Amino acid sequence: MSSLIAATRFSVLDRSRIREGHTGPEALRDTVRLAREVERLGYHRFWVSEHHGVPGVAGSAPTVLAAAVAAATRTIRVGTGGVMLPNHRPLVVAEQFGVLESLFPGRVDMGLGRSVGFTDGVRRALGRGKDDAEDFAAQLDELLGWFRGTSPTGVHARPAEGLTVPPFVLAMGEGAAIAARAGLPMVIGDFRDRDRMRRGIDLYRARFRPSPWASEPYVVVSGTVAVAATPEEARRLLIPEAWSMAYSRTHGTFPPLPPAGRVESLAMTPRERDLYESALTGHLAGTEEQVAHELESVLKETGAQEVLVTTSTHDRAALLDSYRRLAAIAGTADGADRR
């Protein structure tokens, strides 16, 4: 194992993807089970996501799911990747994370994003519009103010006020500049567009202003990592999500994840085939040796302190095997505390 990989934290984001032939409740229970497994493998954090009205994703209430994950684990940090702040009132978000931190002290992370609903219908149901994302910087400042007790309203967020819940900004587009101005750690993806990732990281580091939350830049790079005994098996891990991405681009919605074998037997239009093949490329996928080499390159290019793995697939046994193999590459497999 290289010294660069050994010095890096490795974490997991599970999107609670629904699989063909399975239900949403099963997907949520799968997420909790996976959290227990990756804790045993020595991963640093386990995060859950927020999606609304998506047929293929069960995780619609990340702070609720994070509470279930934290209750089922003992040592791994637990958080959100992320709570989409434009969808919520900052006071309510502060209260939710205050409760989480009070119940699971020293283990909770607050990953925050600026996306709004995926479709016009979802945005209407949430009472939000696309322009609400433009208020993210102000919403973020208001949220952090509830923890510091600096709200000009005279209201106090209970039990959040006075607690320290580490905030992270999910950086897509303008997010890198917002994270830098706020002096917060940044999560940026994905591995499929390394140039864009590097530009975002360079901007973040150049503009970073120290804050009570972070004295220096902290970069988490995120994306799909698939490790298997052969390159072909690793590629099969990628197939269900690649097809789901292609389907979403041609039908406007993310479906449940199909088995890889079914996707391989499908007849696709030329556009679907192009989107599907494109979605299979650019990830860190292969044998342990191949993935270790790619990881080394990514870490050298980005200087990231942490890798957040976001892999989704239909075969949960193969997914867990991939995480075991990655833990062996990363040197976390002994379960050592890497905080």
Side-chain angles (χ1 to χ4, degrees), residues 11 28 105 149 155 271 279:
S11 300
L28 296 174
V155 175
R271 174 166 167 74

Side-chain angles (χ1 to χ4, degrees), residues 1 309 337:
M1 177 177 56
V309 183
D337 184 353

Side-chain angles (χ1 to χ4, degrees), residues 57-76:
V57 184
S60 56
T63 54
V64 177
L65 184 53
V69 168
T73 54
R74 295 184 305 106
T75 58
I76 195 167

Side-chain angles (χ1 to χ4, degrees), residues 9-190:
R9 291 167 166 166
F10 284 81
S11 300
V12 173
L13 166 64
D14 192 69
R15 291 193 174 91
S16 303
R17 292 289 268 118
I18 299 170
R19 298 176 290 152
E20 279 189 8
H22 299 267
T23 65
E26 283 181 274
L28 296 174
R29 291 191 288 269
D30 283 343
T31 292
V32 175
R33 279 192 290 267
L34 180 62
R36 292 196 197 102
E37 295 291 345
V38 301
E39 178 179 63
R40 282 195 280 270
L41 291 170
Y43 284 86
H44 181 61
R45 309 178 204 277
F46 188 91
W47 281 6
V48 296
S49 64
E50 174 182 336
H51 294 81
H52 299 283
V54 180
V57 184
S60 56
T63 54
V64 177
L65 184 53
V69 168
T73 54
R74 295 184 305 106
T75 58
I76 195 167
R77 296 194 65 85
V78 176
T80 55
V83 165
M84 296 301 146
L85 202 47
N87 292 338
H88 310 280
R89 292 302 309 163
L91 170 61
V92 175
V93 175
E95 290 170 337
Q96 290 172 346
F97 279 98
V99 170
L100 282 172
E101 176 62 22
S102 299
L103 292 172
F104 309 101
R107 291 181 56 203
V108 176
D109 300 321
M110 185 168 58
L112 305 162
R114 64 192 293 268
S115 297
V116 290
F118 182 61
T119 65
D120 288 339
V122 169
R123 287 190 290 272
R124 284 194 300 272
L126 290 169
R128 297 293 185 267
K130 286 184 177 181
D131 292 344
D132 286 305
E134 303 308 314
D135 296 328
F136 178 65
Q139 294 161 345
L140 182 62
D141 187 59
E142 180 185 343
L143 173 62
L144 299 181
W146 290 117
F147 287 92
R148 296 192 298 261
T150 57
S151 171
T153 63
V155 175
H156 297 273
R158 310 291 188 198
E161 188 173 312
L163 297 180
T164 300
V165 182
F168 294 74
V169 171
L170 276 60
M172 297 297 291
E174 194 180 335
I178 293 171
R181 284 197 301 272
L184 300 181
M186 177 183 74
V187 182
I188 188 166
D190 63 39

Side-chain angles (χ1 to χ4, degrees), residues 210-252:
S211 75
W213 306 98
S215 59
E216 58 187 27
Y218 188 88
V219 174
V220 183
V221 292
S222 69
T224 295
V225 182
V227 196
T230 67
E232 293 74 25
E233 289 176 60
R235 184 180 185 277
R236 282 182 66 81
L237 277 166
L238 304 176
I239 284 173
E241 187 69 34
W243 169 244
S244 179
M245 292 290 291
Y247 187 94
S248 74
R249 295 284 300 277
T250 52
H251 294 77

